[in-house]
Amino acid sequence: RTRRGDLNTDLRLGLSIVSPDAQKDNWIGPSVSKQREQRQDWPPIKSLLRTTLAVAGKADTNVHNVHNNDNSDRRRTSLFVKVYMEGVPIGRKLDLLTLHNYDDLISTLAHMFTTSITCPNGDRADHAKSLHVLTYEDREGDWMMVGDVPWEMFMTTVKRLKITRADRC
Amino acid sequence: MAYSFPEEVLEHVFSFIGSDRDRNAVSLVCKSWYEIERWCRRRVFVGNCYAVSPAAVVRRFPEVRSVELKGKPHFADFNLVPEGWGGYVSPWITTLARAYPWLEEIRLKRMVVTDESLELIARSFKNFKVLVLSSCEGFSTDGLAAVAANCRNLRELDLRESEVEDMSGHWLSHFPDSYTSLVSLNISCLGSEVSFSALERLVSRCPDLRSLRLNRTVPLDRLANLLRRAPQLAELGTGVYSAELRSDDFSNLVGALAGCRELRSLSGFWDVVPAYLPAVYPLCSGLTSLNLSYATIQSSELTKLISQCHSLQRLWVLDYIEDSGLEALAACCKDLRELRVFPSEPFNREGNVSLTEQGLVSVSEGCSKLQSVLYFCRQMSNAALLTIARNRPNMTRFRLCIIEPRCPDYITHEPLDTGFGAIVQHCKDLQRLSLSGLLTDRVFEYIGTYAKKLEMLSVAFAGDSDLGLHHVLSGCDSLRKLEIRDCPFGDKALLANAAKLETMRSLWMSSCSVSFGACKLLGQKMPRLNVEVIDERGHPDSRPESCPVEKLYIYRTVAGPRFDMPDFVWTMDEDSALRPS
């Protein structure tokens, strides 16, 4: 669950060491503005609302049709993704909306598949102890390691999950 | 000639004095009053769990029935406090379990709670009645199962906004069949399914149930059955408010809701389908509280609902309501005391929604009892703030968040100093204020001059220099909590107002310009403050003393430095040596 070492900490550090004069300028420089969407600490809303809105905003295009009167205003009530474990032909399904963060995801999957999975924010030294690592297919069809992007962002780009053998990565 | 009342008489008189402040005043009159008072104090509130040790509390107050504790700083709600910072309740529960076998109530906010602690609570207090875990974390449904199984007299279990790990057990089924005393249950934060049949049976056998807040996994088509078993409900949080309802399901729901004639408060409404909202229309005229924070529907639907709620006192809603909806609110809900408008697209620079400062102005004009405001928007003007201030001098809580940091008055392009200045000038009883937008040191001068009753101030991306901070610390007589982020405040104001910090509960400063050297100096000078430096870049000694610290948390304490800190937090000590964790 720790956010140390991820993009957001870097973003905060970048702003905090800036001198007072520089802070008076437009604080969002061009290189920072893209990362702004990932900011976990602004605007000041609590995590439950933050997660709900992030998913509603990206995953369901209907929200942007809020001003349309036509057809269904149905919202996603769940976010089921398929999960496969390498070597096992039959997959499982998991509702991501019941989880809060990567730790929840890892422990739920470890439970579901009765194995040990590397925690994405843990030491790479632990890598050796776990049998598996967790990967996902994103909206662009690429297979990525789980854990690099903020949780809310992950939820909006993940299409399916795969538990791969650790010695393969 | 000195007359003194017998102790029993004094104790009886004191029993009418409830507020902590009054009780504290009573205890200062003389030694015998102190003694009598401490034996009959039944409720203790500790606003900062590190301000006093649990041992000191139980030593002074031996017969307490209710304890309330708060842990992490408020900015923890917005991910500014790193994981592992602290706020562990375990040492408190251990001590309370030994000292207060008759403890009835525990209320915790922003604390780390373990299953072991919950199990200890379940085992130790025979008459345990109330457990409120607000924004807590660290426990699982196993801990809840222990509470359910053992607390025979439990009235209230409220998990509001806590993070709970699901261990795939049926914790709700652990309430024994003989258990019938539930009055309030709030499981809205739970991500996982609860056993619906266990929930139905629980609701059926608890005739005093008044407040039920479900989580989003409770389907809409089962809600009717649940409600028919609890027509006496005063507060309802629905589960997910969408389903494939057949028409008889829907009329069943309408009937069940209408049967709850005491219902005054509604919340939930996840994924709400507008077509099903009319089911609650018959309840609207009696509603005093409506929480639509998760209702992602358009303004016309929201307005249709809200304009029927003539008794409404509290409304929480997304900015989908737009200015037009707020105008309707101002026209229809004359009893409104509290309004919170949350941003539907917090991460986009531009909004998609027509909510501006005008909405808030309308409400301030139409709702004469409006006291408490939390408003997210994308533009504001000094003129609007002045109008709001003049309209509502009875305002006590005013939190404005303009989503873009350092955003000026959109009409004049000036800072919003005079606008907020008007707020503090007109609203003489203002207790809580959050600032946003482009602000210079001037706004702090206004605040220091006028905001004499202000107890809590939140500041972000504001000010020019130390003078700003100095105005606040030297002028705000009632200030208890000050939280600051991303402001150019440095050493001078802090060191010049060190004594002020002992009159406050706490000060938080992150991404400011306070140097490590100043922190050390403050820690040396002020033994009754804990000056904690939080820095994830590593040991502050590895950088020059003049280098600003990442985050700083200062609080008054009679317990001395704490010893449960992670490796990125250091307490600045009297001998100015860093304490390793």
Side-chain angles (χ1 to χ4, degrees), chain A residues 1 4 13 17 23 27 39-42 46 50 53 63 66-67 75-77 98, chain B residues 78-79 137 161 191 242 271 296 298 320 322 343 347 403 406 485 536-537 550:
Chain A
R1 259 201 250 167
R4 280 187 261 173
L13 285 181
I17 308 179
Q23 277 182 338
W27 74 291
R39 286 205 76 155
Q40 306 260 359
D41 56 32
W42 188 266
K46 293 188 187 176
R50 184 181 288 271
L53 293 176
V63 174
V66 158
H67 297 282
R75 301 280 167 267
R76 291 276 189 105
T77 66
T98 65
Chain B
F78 316 127
N79 297 329
E137 50 162 355
E161 292 169 318
S242 78
D271 304 322
T296 49
Q298 36 178 323
Y320 288 130
E322 301 190 344
F347 309 117
I403 291 178
R406 300 203 180 87
R485 59 164 296 178
E536 291 178 284
R537 296 171 297 180
E550 228 172 41

mmCIF file of all heavy atoms in Angstrom, chain A residues 1 4 13 17 23 27 39-42 46 50 53 63 66-67 75-77 98, chain B residues 78-79 137 161 191 242 271 296 298 320 322 343 347 403 406 485 536-537 550:
data_model
loop_
_atom_site.group_PDB
_atom_site.id
_atom_site.type_symbol
_atom_site.label_atom_id
_atom_site.label_comp_id
_atom_site.label_asym_id
_atom_site.label_seq_id
_atom_site.Cartn_x
_atom_site.Cartn_y
_atom_site.Cartn_z
ATOM 1 N N ARG A 1 0.796 -1.202 0.000
ATOM 2 C CA ARG A 1 0.000 0.000 0.000
ATOM 3 C C ARG A 1 0.837 1.264 0.000
ATOM 4 O O ARG A 1 0.330 2.362 -0.133
ATOM 5 C CB ARG A 1 -0.880 0.042 1.263
ATOM 6 C CG ARG A 1 -2.286 -0.367 0.988
ATOM 7 C CD ARG A 1 -3.186 0.156 2.037
ATOM 8 N NE ARG A 1 -3.685 -0.920 2.878
ATOM 9 C CZ ARG A 1 -4.303 -0.706 4.026
ATOM 10 N NH1 ARG A 1 -4.436 0.484 4.481
ATOM 11 N NH2 ARG A 1 -4.751 -1.721 4.733
ATOM 12 N N ARG A 4 5.511 5.137 -1.531
ATOM 13 C CA ARG A 4 6.880 5.612 -1.688
ATOM 14 C C ARG A 4 7.452 5.093 -2.982
ATOM 15 O O ARG A 4 7.257 3.947 -3.351
ATOM 16 C CB ARG A 4 7.728 5.088 -0.535
ATOM 17 C CG ARG A 4 7.536 5.916 0.724
ATOM 18 C CD ARG A 4 8.493 5.483 1.782
ATOM 19 N NE ARG A 4 7.871 4.589 2.721
ATOM 20 C CZ ARG A 4 8.535 3.955 3.678
ATOM 21 N NH1 ARG A 4 9.824 4.104 3.775
ATOM 22 N NH2 ARG A 4 7.919 3.168 4.518
ATOM 23 N N LEU A 13 7.815 15.755 -4.386
ATOM 24 C CA LEU A 13 9.173 16.193 -4.082
ATOM 25 C C LEU A 13 9.576 17.326 -5.011
ATOM 26 O O LEU A 13 10.171 18.305 -4.598
ATOM 27 C CB LEU A 13 10.145 15.020 -4.259
ATOM 28 C CG LEU A 13 10.108 13.974 -3.148
ATOM 29 C CD1 LEU A 13 11.134 12.902 -3.443
ATOM 30 C CD2 LEU A 13 10.397 14.619 -1.812
ATOM 31 N N ILE A 17 10.785 21.248 -3.136
ATOM 32 C CA ILE A 17 12.129 21.809 -3.012
ATOM 33 C C ILE A 17 12.258 23.091 -3.823
ATOM 34 O O ILE A 17 13.258 23.760 -3.809
ATOM 35 C CB ILE A 17 13.194 20.775 -3.442
ATOM 36 C CG1 ILE A 17 12.953 19.471 -2.673
ATOM 37 C CG2 ILE A 17 14.588 21.261 -3.143
ATOM 38 C CD1 ILE A 17 13.914 18.381 -3.028
ATOM 39 N N GLN A 23 7.641 29.311 -6.802
ATOM 40 C CA GLN A 23 6.301 28.816 -6.511
ATOM 41 C C GLN A 23 5.235 29.820 -6.914
ATOM 42 O O GLN A 23 4.090 29.480 -7.103
ATOM 43 C CB GLN A 23 6.156 28.522 -5.019
ATOM 44 C CG GLN A 23 6.704 27.161 -4.628
ATOM 45 C CD GLN A 23 6.499 26.879 -3.167
ATOM 46 O OE1 GLN A 23 6.328 27.788 -2.371
ATOM 47 N NE2 GLN A 23 6.522 25.624 -2.798
ATOM 48 N N TRP A 27 2.460 27.224 -11.282
ATOM 49 C CA TRP A 27 3.111 26.088 -10.660
ATOM 50 C C TRP A 27 3.064 24.845 -11.535
ATOM 51 O O TRP A 27 3.801 23.926 -11.357
ATOM 52 C CB TRP A 27 2.448 25.787 -9.309
ATOM 53 C CG TRP A 27 1.120 25.159 -9.464
ATOM 54 C CD1 TRP A 27 0.005 25.743 -9.950
ATOM 55 C CD2 TRP A 27 0.770 23.813 -9.180
ATOM 56 N NE1 TRP A 27 -1.028 24.865 -9.961
ATOM 57 C CE2 TRP A 27 -0.600 23.669 -9.500
ATOM 58 C CE3 TRP A 27 1.474 22.721 -8.678
ATOM 59 C CZ2 TRP A 27 -1.266 22.460 -9.328
ATOM 60 C CZ3 TRP A 27 0.802 21.532 -8.506
ATOM 61 C CH2 TRP A 27 -0.549 21.404 -8.838
ATOM 62 N N ARG A 39 -2.261 12.875 -9.515
ATOM 63 C CA ARG A 39 -2.047 13.355 -8.158
ATOM 64 C C ARG A 39 -3.050 12.723 -7.213
ATOM 65 O O ARG A 39 -4.249 12.745 -7.449
ATOM 66 C CB ARG A 39 -2.185 14.868 -8.083
ATOM 67 C CG ARG A 39 -1.017 15.598 -8.682
ATOM 68 C CD ARG A 39 -0.892 16.972 -8.079
ATOM 69 N NE ARG A 39 -0.337 16.889 -6.745
ATOM 70 C CZ ARG A 39 0.312 17.887 -6.171
ATOM 71 N NH1 ARG A 39 0.480 19.008 -6.820
ATOM 72 N NH2 ARG A 39 0.768 17.760 -4.953
ATOM 73 N N GLN A 40 -2.519 12.151 -6.155
ATOM 74 C CA GLN A 40 -3.380 11.486 -5.195
ATOM 75 C C GLN A 40 -3.832 12.427 -4.102
ATOM 76 O O GLN A 40 -4.649 12.056 -3.289
ATOM 77 C CB GLN A 40 -2.582 10.332 -4.562
ATOM 78 C CG GLN A 40 -1.985 9.383 -5.579
ATOM 79 C CD GLN A 40 -2.808 8.135 -5.717
ATOM 80 O OE1 GLN A 40 -3.803 7.968 -5.057
ATOM 81 N NE2 GLN A 40 -2.376 7.247 -6.584
ATOM 82 N N ASP A 41 -3.250 13.639 -4.008
ATOM 83 C CA ASP A 41 -3.538 14.471 -2.846
ATOM 84 C C ASP A 41 -4.192 15.803 -3.181
ATOM 85 O O ASP A 41 -4.304 16.654 -2.324
ATOM 86 C CB ASP A 41 -2.253 14.706 -2.036
ATOM 87 C CG ASP A 41 -1.147 15.326 -2.882
ATOM 88 O OD1 ASP A 41 -1.452 16.097 -3.816
ATOM 89 O OD2 ASP A 41 0.030 15.036 -2.612
ATOM 90 N N TRP A 42 -4.612 15.980 -4.424
ATOM 91 C CA TRP A 42 -5.340 17.198 -4.787
ATOM 92 C C TRP A 42 -6.304 16.874 -5.922
ATOM 93 O O TRP A 42 -5.918 16.167 -6.821
ATOM 94 C CB TRP A 42 -4.361 18.313 -5.207
ATOM 95 C CG TRP A 42 -5.070 19.616 -5.390
ATOM 96 C CD1 TRP A 42 -5.573 20.126 -6.568
ATOM 97 C CD2 TRP A 42 -5.453 20.551 -4.366
ATOM 98 N NE1 TRP A 42 -6.230 21.320 -6.335
ATOM 99 C CE2 TRP A 42 -6.163 21.594 -4.992
ATOM 100 C CE3 TRP A 42 -5.273 20.592 -2.982
ATOM 101 C CZ2 TRP A 42 -6.676 22.680 -4.276
ATOM 102 C CZ3 TRP A 42 -5.782 21.664 -2.282
ATOM 103 C CH2 TRP A 42 -6.461 22.692 -2.921
ATOM 104 N N LYS A 46 -11.914 12.578 -0.281
ATOM 105 C CA LYS A 46 -11.525 11.334 0.390
ATOM 106 C C LYS A 46 -11.455 10.179 -0.592
ATOM 107 O O LYS A 46 -12.055 10.208 -1.656
ATOM 108 C CB LYS A 46 -12.532 11.015 1.502
ATOM 109 C CG LYS A 46 -12.476 12.037 2.620
ATOM 110 C CD LYS A 46 -13.338 11.590 3.779
ATOM 111 C CE LYS A 46 -13.424 12.682 4.828
ATOM 112 N NZ LYS A 46 -14.338 12.307 5.906
ATOM 113 N N ARG A 50 -13.032 9.456 -4.336
ATOM 114 C CA ARG A 50 -12.019 9.525 -5.392
ATOM 115 C C ARG A 50 -12.064 8.279 -6.279
ATOM 116 O O ARG A 50 -12.082 8.366 -7.498
ATOM 117 C CB ARG A 50 -10.654 9.661 -4.716
ATOM 118 C CG ARG A 50 -9.477 9.847 -5.619
ATOM 119 C CD ARG A 50 -8.219 9.941 -4.781
ATOM 120 N NE ARG A 50 -8.138 11.197 -4.055
ATOM 121 C CZ ARG A 50 -7.591 12.296 -4.540
ATOM 122 N NH1 ARG A 50 -7.055 12.293 -5.741
ATOM 123 N NH2 ARG A 50 -7.575 13.402 -3.818
ATOM 124 N N LEU A 53 -15.391 8.060 -8.330
ATOM 125 C CA LEU A 53 -15.451 8.991 -9.461
ATOM 126 C C LEU A 53 -14.461 8.614 -10.552
ATOM 127 O O LEU A 53 -14.753 8.744 -11.735
ATOM 128 C CB LEU A 53 -15.161 10.411 -8.982
ATOM 129 C CG LEU A 53 -16.211 11.005 -8.057
ATOM 130 C CD1 LEU A 53 -15.761 12.370 -7.567
ATOM 131 C CD2 LEU A 53 -17.553 11.104 -8.751
ATOM 132 N N VAL A 63 -21.247 8.500 -18.402
ATOM 133 C CA VAL A 63 -21.201 9.658 -17.504
ATOM 134 C C VAL A 63 -21.026 10.941 -18.288
ATOM 135 O O VAL A 63 -21.566 11.976 -17.958
ATOM 136 C CB VAL A 63 -20.061 9.506 -16.473
ATOM 137 C CG1 VAL A 63 -19.905 10.760 -15.644
ATOM 138 C CG2 VAL A 63 -20.354 8.325 -15.568
ATOM 139 N N VAL A 66 -24.082 12.623 -19.532
ATOM 140 C CA VAL A 66 -25.011 13.043 -18.478
ATOM 141 C C VAL A 66 -26.020 14.038 -19.006
ATOM 142 O O VAL A 66 -27.157 14.089 -18.572
ATOM 143 C CB VAL A 66 -24.205 13.649 -17.298
ATOM 144 C CG1 VAL A 66 -25.065 14.558 -16.458
ATOM 145 C CG2 VAL A 66 -23.662 12.531 -16.428
ATOM 146 N N HIS A 67 -25.598 14.821 -19.989
ATOM 147 C CA HIS A 67 -26.512 15.830 -20.510
ATOM 148 C C HIS A 67 -27.402 15.311 -21.623
ATOM 149 O O HIS A 67 -28.253 16.030 -22.116
ATOM 150 C CB HIS A 67 -25.712 17.041 -21.021
ATOM 151 C CG HIS A 67 -24.957 17.684 -19.903
ATOM 152 N ND1 HIS A 67 -25.564 18.512 -18.994
ATOM 153 C CD2 HIS A 67 -23.670 17.582 -19.523
ATOM 154 C CE1 HIS A 67 -24.652 18.899 -18.114
ATOM 155 N NE2 HIS A 67 -23.511 18.371 -18.402
ATOM 156 N N ARG A 75 -25.234 2.734 -14.729
ATOM 157 C CA ARG A 75 -23.839 2.852 -14.353
ATOM 158 C C ARG A 75 -23.286 1.469 -14.064
ATOM 159 O O ARG A 75 -24.012 0.571 -13.734
ATOM 160 C CB ARG A 75 -23.701 3.703 -13.092
ATOM 161 C CG ARG A 75 -24.244 5.092 -13.230
ATOM 162 C CD ARG A 75 -23.300 6.044 -13.938
ATOM 163 N NE ARG A 75 -23.991 7.263 -14.301
ATOM 164 C CZ ARG A 75 -24.568 7.446 -15.484
ATOM 165 N NH1 ARG A 75 -24.518 6.516 -16.409
ATOM 166 N NH2 ARG A 75 -25.192 8.577 -15.749
ATOM 167 N N ARG A 76 -21.975 1.365 -14.140
ATOM 168 C CA ARG A 76 -21.344 0.095 -13.774
ATOM 169 C C ARG A 76 -21.547 -0.176 -12.292
ATOM 170 O O ARG A 76 -21.279 0.654 -11.467
ATOM 171 C CB ARG A 76 -19.840 0.170 -14.013
ATOM 172 C CG ARG A 76 -19.425 0.239 -15.442
ATOM 173 C CD ARG A 76 -19.361 -1.146 -16.063
ATOM 174 N NE ARG A 76 -18.767 -1.099 -17.388
ATOM 175 C CZ ARG A 76 -17.551 -1.491 -17.659
ATOM 176 N NH1 ARG A 76 -16.801 -1.978 -16.706
ATOM 177 N NH2 ARG A 76 -17.071 -1.409 -18.872
ATOM 178 N N THR A 77 -22.027 -1.366 -11.971
ATOM 179 C CA THR A 77 -22.131 -1.710 -10.565
ATOM 180 C C THR A 77 -20.982 -2.620 -10.171
ATOM 181 O O THR A 77 -20.796 -2.903 -9.013
ATOM 182 C CB THR A 77 -23.451 -2.435 -10.275
ATOM 183 O OG1 THR A 77 -23.419 -3.679 -10.955
ATOM 184 C CG2 THR A 77 -24.617 -1.617 -10.756
ATOM 185 N N THR A 98 -14.648 -4.310 -5.514
ATOM 186 C CA THR A 98 -14.707 -4.696 -4.099
ATOM 187 C C THR A 98 -13.361 -4.533 -3.414
ATOM 188 O O THR A 98 -13.227 -4.786 -2.218
ATOM 189 C CB THR A 98 -15.142 -6.170 -3.938
ATOM 190 O OG1 THR A 98 -14.123 -6.995 -4.522
ATOM 191 C CG2 THR A 98 -16.455 -6.443 -4.624
ATOM 192 N N PHE B 78 -6.375 12.898 2.656
ATOM 193 C CA PHE B 78 -6.041 13.207 1.270
ATOM 194 C C PHE B 78 -4.669 12.668 0.895
ATOM 195 O O PHE B 78 -3.971 13.226 0.060
ATOM 196 C CB PHE B 78 -6.116 14.726 1.048
ATOM 197 C CG PHE B 78 -7.335 15.356 1.670
ATOM 198 C CD1 PHE B 78 -7.218 16.444 2.528
ATOM 199 C CD2 PHE B 78 -8.605 14.847 1.424
ATOM 200 C CE1 PHE B 78 -8.347 17.015 3.123
ATOM 201 C CE2 PHE B 78 -9.733 15.406 2.012
ATOM 202 C CZ PHE B 78 -9.600 16.494 2.867
ATOM 203 N N ASN B 79 -4.275 11.596 1.546
ATOM 204 C CA ASN B 79 -3.029 10.894 1.201
ATOM 205 C C ASN B 79 -1.769 11.704 1.439
ATOM 206 O O ASN B 79 -0.744 11.438 0.832
ATOM 207 C CB ASN B 79 -3.040 10.453 -0.273
ATOM 208 C CG ASN B 79 -4.148 9.468 -0.557
ATOM 209 O OD1 ASN B 79 -4.531 8.689 0.295
ATOM 210 N ND2 ASN B 79 -4.688 9.519 -1.756
ATOM 211 N N GLU B 137 -8.338 1.909 9.801
ATOM 212 C CA GLU B 137 -7.825 0.883 8.899
ATOM 213 C C GLU B 137 -7.040 -0.117 9.733
ATOM 214 O O GLU B 137 -6.789 0.118 10.911
ATOM 215 C CB GLU B 137 -6.920 1.503 7.848
ATOM 216 C CG GLU B 137 -5.866 2.396 8.467
ATOM 217 C CD GLU B 137 -4.691 2.707 7.577
ATOM 218 O OE1 GLU B 137 -4.602 2.161 6.473
ATOM 219 O OE2 GLU B 137 -3.853 3.491 8.021
ATOM 220 N N GLU B 161 -16.472 4.960 6.514
ATOM 221 C CA GLU B 161 -15.303 5.289 5.700
ATOM 222 C C GLU B 161 -14.023 4.589 6.132
ATOM 223 O O GLU B 161 -12.924 5.040 5.824
ATOM 224 C CB GLU B 161 -15.085 6.806 5.692
ATOM 225 C CG GLU B 161 -16.200 7.506 4.951
ATOM 226 C CD GLU B 161 -16.176 9.009 5.134
ATOM 227 O OE1 GLU B 161 -15.950 9.477 6.263
ATOM 228 O OE2 GLU B 161 -16.387 9.702 4.132
ATOM 229 N N GLY B 191 -16.344 -3.289 1.038
ATOM 230 C CA GLY B 191 -16.324 -3.573 -0.387
ATOM 231 C C GLY B 191 -16.923 -4.912 -0.722
ATOM 232 O O GLY B 191 -17.357 -5.158 -1.839
ATOM 233 N N SER B 242 -29.386 0.299 -8.537
ATOM 234 C CA SER B 242 -29.749 -0.049 -9.905
ATOM 235 C C SER B 242 -29.910 -1.552 -9.986
ATOM 236 O O SER B 242 -29.299 -2.290 -9.226
ATOM 237 C CB SER B 242 -28.686 0.429 -10.893
ATOM 238 O OG SER B 242 -27.586 -0.436 -10.868
ATOM 239 N N ASP B 271 -24.563 4.163 -8.201
ATOM 240 C CA ASP B 271 -24.984 3.792 -9.555
ATOM 241 C C ASP B 271 -26.481 3.990 -9.759
ATOM 242 O O ASP B 271 -27.141 3.170 -10.397
ATOM 243 C CB ASP B 271 -24.641 2.318 -9.818
ATOM 244 C CG ASP B 271 -23.171 2.052 -9.594
ATOM 245 O OD1 ASP B 271 -22.355 2.917 -9.938
ATOM 246 O OD2 ASP B 271 -22.837 0.978 -9.077
ATOM 247 N N THR B 296 -24.424 9.737 -9.589
ATOM 248 C CA THR B 296 -23.912 10.364 -10.801
ATOM 249 C C THR B 296 -25.037 10.506 -11.818
ATOM 250 O O THR B 296 -25.096 9.804 -12.825
ATOM 251 C CB THR B 296 -22.776 9.518 -11.401
ATOM 252 O OG1 THR B 296 -23.218 8.150 -11.465
ATOM 253 C CG2 THR B 296 -21.546 9.567 -10.532
ATOM 254 N N GLN B 298 -27.972 13.471 -13.703
ATOM 255 C CA GLN B 298 -27.952 14.851 -14.146
ATOM 256 C C GLN B 298 -28.827 15.780 -13.302
ATOM 257 O O GLN B 298 -29.626 15.356 -12.494
ATOM 258 C CB GLN B 298 -28.352 14.948 -15.619
ATOM 259 C CG GLN B 298 -29.415 13.973 -16.034
ATOM 260 C CD GLN B 298 -29.793 14.168 -17.477
ATOM 261 O OE1 GLN B 298 -29.834 15.285 -17.971
ATOM 262 N NE2 GLN B 298 -30.090 13.075 -18.154
ATOM 263 N N TYR B 320 -23.012 17.781 -10.302
ATOM 264 C CA TYR B 320 -24.007 17.561 -11.363
ATOM 265 C C TYR B 320 -25.269 18.363 -11.094
ATOM 266 O O TYR B 320 -26.071 18.583 -11.992
ATOM 267 C CB TYR B 320 -24.380 16.078 -11.464
ATOM 268 C CG TYR B 320 -23.292 15.210 -12.055
ATOM 269 C CD1 TYR B 320 -22.890 14.041 -11.425
ATOM 270 C CD2 TYR B 320 -22.678 15.545 -13.260
ATOM 271 C CE1 TYR B 320 -21.896 13.244 -11.966
ATOM 272 C CE2 TYR B 320 -21.686 14.756 -13.803
ATOM 273 C CZ TYR B 320 -21.303 13.605 -13.148
ATOM 274 O OH TYR B 320 -20.330 12.816 -13.679
ATOM 275 N N GLU B 322 -25.500 21.448 -10.531
ATOM 276 C CA GLU B 322 -25.352 22.681 -11.289
ATOM 277 C C GLU B 322 -26.040 23.879 -10.620
ATOM 278 O O GLU B 322 -26.781 23.733 -9.641
ATOM 279 C CB GLU B 322 -25.888 22.502 -12.726
ATOM 280 C CG GLU B 322 -25.152 21.408 -13.446
ATOM 281 C CD GLU B 322 -25.452 21.326 -14.919
ATOM 282 O OE1 GLU B 322 -26.448 21.903 -15.361
ATOM 283 O OE2 GLU B 322 -24.666 20.681 -15.623
ATOM 284 N N PRO B 343 -16.869 17.535 -6.344
ATOM 285 C CA PRO B 343 -16.576 17.617 -7.780
ATOM 286 C C PRO B 343 -16.761 16.265 -8.465
ATOM 287 O O PRO B 343 -16.246 15.250 -8.003
ATOM 288 C CB PRO B 343 -15.086 18.004 -7.787
ATOM 289 C CG PRO B 343 -14.532 17.402 -6.537
ATOM 290 C CD PRO B 343 -15.651 17.403 -5.528
ATOM 291 N N PHE B 347 -10.311 15.452 -11.485
ATOM 292 C CA PHE B 347 -8.977 15.381 -12.079
ATOM 293 C C PHE B 347 -8.857 16.114 -13.402
ATOM 294 O O PHE B 347 -7.794 16.140 -14.001
ATOM 295 C CB PHE B 347 -8.553 13.922 -12.249
ATOM 296 C CG PHE B 347 -8.724 13.132 -10.984
ATOM 297 C CD1 PHE B 347 -9.611 12.063 -10.936
ATOM 298 C CD2 PHE B 347 -8.058 13.490 -9.830
ATOM 299 C CE1 PHE B 347 -9.790 11.352 -9.764
ATOM 300 C CE2 PHE B 347 -8.228 12.790 -8.651
ATOM 301 C CZ PHE B 347 -9.098 11.713 -8.619
ATOM 302 N N ILE B 403 -10.850 24.261 -7.693
ATOM 303 C CA ILE B 403 -10.066 23.085 -8.050
ATOM 304 C C ILE B 403 -8.681 23.411 -8.586
ATOM 305 O O ILE B 403 -7.714 22.709 -8.285
ATOM 306 C CB ILE B 403 -10.873 22.213 -9.028
ATOM 307 C CG1 ILE B 403 -12.049 21.620 -8.245
ATOM 308 C CG2 ILE B 403 -10.025 21.115 -9.635
ATOM 309 C CD1 ILE B 403 -12.984 20.785 -9.033
ATOM 310 N N ARG B 406 -4.217 28.346 -6.937
ATOM 311 C CA ARG B 406 -3.801 29.717 -7.254
ATOM 312 C C ARG B 406 -4.657 30.357 -8.346
ATOM 313 O O ARG B 406 -4.179 31.166 -9.131
ATOM 314 C CB ARG B 406 -2.323 29.776 -7.657
ATOM 315 C CG ARG B 406 -1.417 29.288 -6.553
ATOM 316 C CD ARG B 406 -0.008 29.837 -6.694
ATOM 317 N NE ARG B 406 0.832 29.357 -5.619
ATOM 318 C CZ ARG B 406 1.509 28.214 -5.640
ATOM 319 N NH1 ARG B 406 1.445 27.438 -6.710
ATOM 320 N NH2 ARG B 406 2.238 27.836 -4.613
ATOM 321 N N ARG B 485 -0.364 23.398 3.366
ATOM 322 C CA ARG B 485 0.432 22.670 2.376
ATOM 323 C C ARG B 485 0.812 23.594 1.228
ATOM 324 O O ARG B 485 0.035 24.465 0.840
ATOM 325 C CB ARG B 485 -0.323 21.444 1.853
ATOM 326 C CG ARG B 485 -1.643 21.782 1.199
ATOM 327 C CD ARG B 485 -2.167 20.647 0.361
ATOM 328 N NE ARG B 485 -1.292 20.365 -0.770
ATOM 329 C CZ ARG B 485 -1.498 19.406 -1.636
ATOM 330 N NH1 ARG B 485 -2.541 18.611 -1.508
ATOM 331 N NH2 ARG B 485 -0.670 19.208 -2.638
ATOM 332 N N GLU B 536 10.548 11.427 3.550
ATOM 333 C CA GLU B 536 10.787 10.139 2.918
ATOM 334 C C GLU B 536 12.023 10.138 2.032
ATOM 335 O O GLU B 536 12.327 9.132 1.395
ATOM 336 C CB GLU B 536 9.543 9.718 2.120
ATOM 337 C CG GLU B 536 8.368 9.367 3.035
ATOM 338 C CD GLU B 536 7.116 8.996 2.268
ATOM 339 O OE1 GLU B 536 6.450 9.906 1.736
ATOM 340 O OE2 GLU B 536 6.809 7.801 2.199
ATOM 341 N N ARG B 537 12.745 11.275 2.015
ATOM 342 C CA ARG B 537 13.974 11.320 1.212
ATOM 343 C C ARG B 537 15.154 10.771 1.991
ATOM 344 O O ARG B 537 16.274 10.729 1.503
ATOM 345 C CB ARG B 537 14.281 12.770 0.814
ATOM 346 C CG ARG B 537 13.233 13.390 -0.083
ATOM 347 C CD ARG B 537 13.473 14.875 -0.252
ATOM 348 N NE ARG B 537 13.348 15.582 1.019
ATOM 349 C CZ ARG B 537 13.516 16.894 1.152
ATOM 350 N NH1 ARG B 537 13.830 17.631 0.095
ATOM 351 N NH2 ARG B 537 13.392 17.462 2.339
ATOM 352 N N GLU B 550 10.301 17.958 4.301
ATOM 353 C CA GLU B 550 9.165 17.612 3.459
ATOM 354 C C GLU B 550 7.859 17.939 4.165
ATOM 355 O O GLU B 550 6.991 18.642 3.636
ATOM 356 C CB GLU B 550 9.203 16.115 3.161
ATOM 357 C CG GLU B 550 9.008 15.770 1.711
ATOM 358 C CD GLU B 550 9.245 14.280 1.464
ATOM 359 O OE1 GLU B 550 8.823 13.444 2.282
ATOM 360 O OE2 GLU B 550 9.862 13.988 0.431
#
